[in-house]
Amino acid sequence: MREWINLPELGMVGLRAKIDTGASTSALHASNISEFERDGERWVRFDAFIGTQVQRRHRCEAPVVAVKLIKSSNGHAQSRYVIQTPVALGDRTWPVEFTLASRKTMRYRVLLGSRALIDAQLVVNPAQTYVQDRPLLPSIPVPNEDRHPVA
């Protein structure tokens, strides 16, 4: 199942997300991830990507919630940063924890796992896709964007 989402606090709108009930955690494609300290707390700075046909690089910053060892669908274990940010889907907005990982070989750069679906009390019909309208949030300008074709 697929849906349109926004990540408003990261300044990202119009993202296609794969709804994956088989994955417990949610994941966001990120590259150039670097940790830094702000006001005595751990933060990460990373590049995320917006767009479907043409990818635009978007620089993001977020506090680190945790660092977790995640086992991917192919069985490979990887240490990943975890951030929390609101997700807008249809007329709902709720906080979701995302692991930051390279998803450049995946069709969808955002994956919403079962924990996020349970937290929002969403019901999934795997036979349908793009059931919700695109989230109604103001468009947020993307500063210093670089365009990259979809691989």
Side-chain angles (χ1 to χ4, degrees):
M1 179 175 181
R2 285 83 174 123
E3 289 291 347
W4 291 103
I5 67 166
N6 292 343
L7 302 176
E9 284 190 4
L10 295 179
M12 301 174 69
V13 297
L15 302 172
R16 291 185 315 161
K18 178 179 180 182
I19 309 302
D20 189 346
T21 59
S24 60
T25 57
S26 298
L28 175 63
H29 174 62
S31 62
N32 301 320
I33 302 169
S34 61
E35 185 177 330
F36 66 99
E37 189 174 306
R38 177 177 288 161
D39 299 326
E41 296 191 14
R42 294 171 70 187
W43 281 62
V44 285
R45 184 176 290 121
F46 58 94
D47 290 335
F49 296 84
I50 302 171
T52 54
Q53 299 302 315
V54 175
Q55 294 288 305
R56 296 181 314 245
R57 183 174 303 167
H58 181 70
R59 196 69 169 157
C60 301
E61 293 181 353
V64 174
V65 172
V67 177
K68 292 184 180 176
L69 189 64
I70 303 292
K71 186 185 268 189
S72 66
S73 58
N74 65 13
H76 181 265
Q78 180 183 44
S79 181
R80 297 183 188 172
Y81 287 103
V82 179
I83 65 165
Q84 182 175 333
T85 191
V87 170
L89 169 62
D91 62 354
R92 293 176 172 222
T93 301
W94 75 102
V96 173
E97 287 189 356
F98 286 94
T99 63
L100 302 179
S102 174
R103 294 183 56 80
K104 66 182 175 185
T105 61
M106 308 291 184
R107 174 175 278 171
Y108 297 93
R109 303 296 173 105
V110 181
L111 181 138
L112 279 183
S114 60
R115 282 190 201 137
L117 304 174
I118 292 167
D119 289 347
Q121 299 180 352
L122 298 177
V123 176
V124 176
N125 180 344
Q128 295 185 343
T129 192
Y130 299 112
V131 174
Q132 299 294 317
D133 291 331
R134 286 190 183 202
L136 298 176
L137 291 177
S139 179
I140 300 170
V142 179
N144 302 324
E145 61 189 38
D146 297 325
R147 295 182 183 269
H148 297 278
V150 174

